[in-house]
Amino acid sequence: MSAIKNVIIALDEGTTNAKAVAFNASGEVVAKFSQPLSIQTPREGWVEQDGEILAASSFQVLARAIAHVGAENVSALAISNQRETAIGWYRASGEPIGAALSWQCSRTADFCHALRHDNLEQKIRNATGLPVAPLFSASKLRWLLESVPNGYALAAQGEICLGTIDSWLLWNLTAGEAFCCDYSNAARTQLLNLTTGAWDAEMLKIFQIPAAALPEVKSSSGLFGYTKGVAGVPDGIPIMAMVGDSHAALFGHALGEAGCVKATYGTGSSVMAPVSRAQSDIHSLAMTIAWHSGDRLVYGLEGNIPHTGDAVAWMADSTGLSELPEADLNDELNTLPASVDSTLGVYFVPALTGLGAPWWADEARGVICGLNRGVKRAHLIRAALESITYQIADVIGAMRQHPDFTLTALMVDGGPTKNDWLMQYQADLLGCPVMRSDIPELSALGAALLARKAMGTLSPEEMKAYLPVHSAFTPDMARHQRLQQRWREWRQAVDRTLWQPTLSV
């Protein structure tokens, strides 16, 4: 490659935005462009996106980034993408067979219930590391085939392609010459065997997915193909990495270093720890493949929590804070919890649509307990923020069952992490440093680093120089000991959410 070809552009395709981020040879962001993506909800519980618009929007921001840095300076592309979203298309025309079914979509809930009723969940978990849930791609791919005439027969003949968003973007970026996905995305389909790293014949049978319709599974870091026929994108640029966005963030934090556990704080939260071997008998968590680095598979132990930032938003709304301008609201969320010494014994368990990991109780409903006459808005806001830290601590507690699990630092990202009080409370509760990434392009950075690794231009030590600077929150160990009692009381509050009264008529 020419010496001037030193820019890697990462296409970070999320649920609500498509972003293109250009990194120079020093790992600095030199350009970034973004375009919103729309979501459709045609029926209750159905969430979908237009696959052609999704690809077109992604390639528009990619073309803008290439034009900004100069095509002659671009050495490679990388892709990070929303996980579990499923799409199908006709191999001959490239036309989608229907909408892309979002990871949020629950239209296959009845089918998933039938799998559990038939006692297939343990078999599926043993093979794939994942519980039966409409979140994962397999049931969605089955639904797509059932939605078109002769869908299964066409797929068995290889005339229909089925895949996750990484494979759809790659197909369109290469004019249909490359039909591949990476290990991290394949592991989220519920069709990949974690032990063999290959499509599992029994899972394909259970979900009625023909192998001929599925992409080739490749390392997350390596050559996937070359650009061809995309407006504004020159032909011949190599695509050197593909990886799920949450996995890319984990790699972008610390390259998968043991003990560096990632927590993304958003509406909900994803907690993921890198581990060296698959173990799927921790029923409260999902086991997945974090990535294949080109050298080896790295597994990921993951817990998903539905209501973290959402819990604070609910409490802000319920106490009137949400009526404030955004800047004032954020200021209040930072100052109110520190304005009181405690919650006065109040606990808020935000099981607003059930509990996620490690409890997985769909029937649970939220509880505010411990109210007394002295409780004010500050105490309630503090209880909502504390609930985030307790839920993440609960997931980490479950992770400790894995023999490879270690915790030396919690690496955090996402909007709520801007709250310094919250980060310090999390550090004190866990008794370990919390390291906050202050850059918003973490998934893009992780994908770009996997691409740079595939290009063979960096040693492992040199790659560490590309990692972002983190703000450190050091635990107060005396306070850590005191907070263990609070954590025990929190778990008693969780028990109350699992109790449901019997309604009589």
Side-chain angles (χ1 to χ4, degrees):
M1 293 183 180
S2 168
I4 64 169
K5 283 186 173 290
N6 58 18
V7 174
I8 292 178
I9 299 179
L11 174 59
D12 184 15
E13 191 288 312
T15 307
T16 57
N17 283 279
K19 294 179 286 186
V21 185
F23 298 90
N24 65 15
S26 301
E28 300 166 329
V29 175
V30 293
K32 55 182 177 180
F33 297 91
S34 176
Q35 185 160 318
L37 297 170
S38 62
I39 298 173
Q40 292 79 47
T41 53
R43 290 167 57 177
E44 183 179 356
W46 290 31
V47 186
E48 60 189 44
Q49 294 180 285
D50 185 308
E52 291 184 312
I53 293 176
L54 185 151
S57 299
S58 297
F59 300 157
Q60 285 170 16
V61 293
L62 183 59
R64 291 170 67 190
I66 292 172
H68 183 87
V69 301
E72 70 280 3
N73 295 314
V74 179
S75 60
L77 303 181
I79 295 172
S80 68
N81 60 279
Q82 57 171 303
R83 304 182 302 165
E84 293 103 14
T85 297
I87 189 168
W89 64 96
Y90 294 103
R91 188 182 291 269
S93 66
E95 179 184 348
I97 64 174
L101 307 191
S102 169
W103 58 273
Q104 300 164 305
C105 188
S106 61
R107 71 184 68 188
T108 62
D110 288 345
F111 174 73
C112 292
H113 176 74
L115 292 178
R116 289 191 291 268
H117 182 267
D118 293 340
N119 296 315
L120 289 170
E121 180 157 30
Q122 190 57 49
K123 178 178 290 189
I124 292 169
R125 182 187 286 275
N126 288 343
T128 70
L130 304 174
V132 171
L135 165 70
F136 304 110
S137 310
S139 63
K140 296 182 175 72
L141 295 173
R142 177 184 179 275
W143 190 96
L144 285 169
L145 287 186
E146 289 189 333
S147 69
V148 297
N150 301 316
Y152 185 86
L154 291 172
Q157 295 162 14
E159 296 180 33
I160 285 178
C161 299
L162 298 172
T164 44
I165 294 302
D166 61 328
S167 59
W168 169 243
L169 293 174
L170 178 68
W171 174 277
N172 285 281
L173 269 175
T174 62
E177 292 186 358
F179 182 36
C180 311
C181 69
D182 95 293
Y183 278 98
S184 72
N185 281 287
R188 307 301 292 182
T189 63
Q190 212 154 48
L191 298 173
L192 192 83
N193 186 292
L194 283 190
T195 303
T196 66
W199 300 122
D200 187 281
E202 193 165 10
M203 296 303 106
L204 299 183
K205 182 178 179 181
I206 288 172
F207 288 97
Q208 298 176 283
I209 305 296
L214 294 174
E216 177 187 358
V217 183
K218 301 184 71 170
S219 297
S220 312
S221 177
L223 177 63
F224 285 87
Y226 296 90
T227 56
K228 181 179 179 181
V230 178
V233 178
D235 290 353
I237 301 176
I239 298 130
M240 299 298 291
M242 298 203 305
V243 62
D245 52 9
S246 188
H247 310 245
L250 177 61
F251 193 80
H253 269 299
L255 306 178
E257 182 177 340
C260 293
V261 179
K262 182 218 70 152
T264 297
Y265 295 60
T267 301
S269 289
S270 163
V271 186
M272 186 182 291
V275 291
S276 60
R277 53 186 153 162
Q279 177 178 322
S280 56
D281 58 355
I282 303 176
H283 295 284
S284 57
L285 302 174
M287 177 61 70
T288 192
I289 292 174
W291 56 75
H292 193 299
S293 64
D295 306 317
R296 64 188 180 97
L297 276 176
V298 175
Y299 293 96
L301 190 59
E302 184 174 21
N304 295 99
I305 307 165
H307 302 289
T308 50
D310 185 47
V312 178
W314 184 90
M315 188 64 79
D317 192 40
S318 300
T319 57
L321 271 185
S322 59
E323 297 176 7
L324 295 173
E326 184 176 358
D328 294 340
L329 171 61
N330 291 333
D331 183 63
E332 288 289 281
L333 292 177
N334 271 285
T335 57
L336 275 178
S339 70
V340 291
D341 294 331
S342 71
T343 65
L344 292 183
V346 172
Y347 292 91
F348 173 36
V349 184
L352 303 178
T353 59
L355 286 170
W359 312 105
W360 295 113
D362 292 341
E363 74 284 359
R365 289 297 176 263
V367 163
I368 301 174
C369 61
L371 290 171
N372 61 73
R373 192 63 185 83
V375 171
K376 307 297 182 186
R377 179 160 62 182
H379 302 100
L380 293 171
I381 293 297
R382 176 166 174 147
L385 286 162
E386 284 187 8
S387 76
I388 298 178
T389 69
Y390 296 134
Q391 289 182 93
I392 286 175
D394 288 342
V395 170
I396 289 174
M399 286 179 167
R400 295 186 188 279
Q401 299 173 61
H402 194 287
D404 293 341
F405 178 81
T406 57
L407 176 64
T408 56
L410 185 69
M411 320 297 290
V412 302
D413 57 87
T417 66
K418 296 176 183 177
N419 187 315
D420 288 354
W421 182 90
L422 176 66
M423 294 297 95
Q424 188 60 55
Y425 196 93
Q426 187 78 79
D428 294 342
L429 177 65
L430 291 175
C432 78
V434 168
M435 309 296 291
R436 179 179 65 198
S437 170
D438 294 321
I439 70 164
E441 302 89 5
L442 203 60
S443 292
L445 174 63
L449 285 175
L450 284 166
R452 208 171 283 281
K453 182 181 187 303
M455 294 161 63
T457 57
L458 294 172
S459 68
E461 284 303 313
E462 288 172 328
M463 286 187 69
K464 290 181 180 179
Y466 284 76
L467 296 179
V469 174
H470 287 73
S471 298
F473 295 85
T474 304
D476 178 332
M477 296 309 293
R479 190 183 189 211
H480 167 68
Q481 294 301 324
R482 295 195 301 272
L483 289 181
Q484 300 316 291
Q485 177 60 29
R486 295 276 296 161
W487 191 13
R488 285 189 288 272
E489 292 169 359
W490 153 265
R491 287 195 288 269
Q492 293 172 3
V494 170
D495 288 342
R496 299 188 184 198
T497 72
L498 304 177
W499 173 81
Q500 292 295 305
T502 300
L503 299 179
S504 59
V505 294

